[in-house]
Amino acid sequence: MIHLYLDDYRRCPQGFALARNAQECLLMLEECKVDILSLDFDLGPGEPTGKEVVRGMIARQLFPREIYLHTSSMWGKREMYELLYQSVPEQVKLHNGPMPSEVLDRIAEGVRK
């Protein structure tokens, strides 16, 4: 089981696999069992956004155990959250914001052990 971080620019947190674009993210969701997924919205000029990833997740029923939205785009965060809120299975934990430092620290600590 992996933790997956989608972002075209930010540094990937320790303990996470990195997807730099929408296609990579959807491919990893298809091929790997994902525990925690953290999504960015803006993925570079002319590139599909995090909203396209969310649409693909919903269409293919590719849901991790937990989803965070770390984007700085307030509009993008709202769009992704609204789509996910209507569609995620009951057992998926959906957060309307970035991972708290406690979560990041716990995952990084697990890698160091």
Side-chain angles (χ1 to χ4, degrees):
M1 187 170 294
I2 66 168
H3 304 300
L4 182 56
Y5 191 80
L6 171 65
D7 204 296
D8 65 316
Y9 180 74
R10 290 176 188 87
R11 184 180 69 78
C12 183
Q14 187 174 7
F16 282 77
L18 176 64
R20 287 286 185 200
N21 60 49
Q23 294 85 357
E24 281 183 6
C25 188
L26 287 169
L27 183 63
M28 292 176 87
L29 283 163
E30 284 178 351
E31 294 185 354
C32 305
K33 187 168 176 128
V34 178
D35 186 30
I36 295 175
L37 172 65
S38 188
L39 296 171
D40 188 17
F41 179 77
D42 294 309
L43 300 172
E47 292 294 321
T49 66
K51 185 175 179 180
E52 296 310 311
V53 172
V54 169
R55 285 183 177 146
M57 289 169 54
I58 293 167
R60 300 176 199 171
Q61 294 293 289
L62 300 172
F63 296 109
R65 185 185 61 79
E66 199 163 355
I67 303 169
Y68 289 91
L69 306 173
H70 69 262
T71 183
S72 56
S73 168
M74 299 317 301
W75 180 85
K77 184 188 298 182
R78 187 182 79 240
E79 291 285 309
M80 291 189 297
Y81 185 81
E82 287 176 3
L83 279 173
L84 287 164
Y85 184 79
Q86 298 169 24
S87 303
V88 295
E90 185 178 299
Q91 71 273 13
V92 175
K93 293 180 188 172
L94 176 61
H95 305 274
N96 192 10
M99 286 176 280
S101 58
E102 304 85 58
V103 173
L104 292 167
D105 291 345
R106 176 177 46 83
I107 291 168
E109 184 63 32
V111 171
R112 286 185 223 127
K113 287 185 177 181

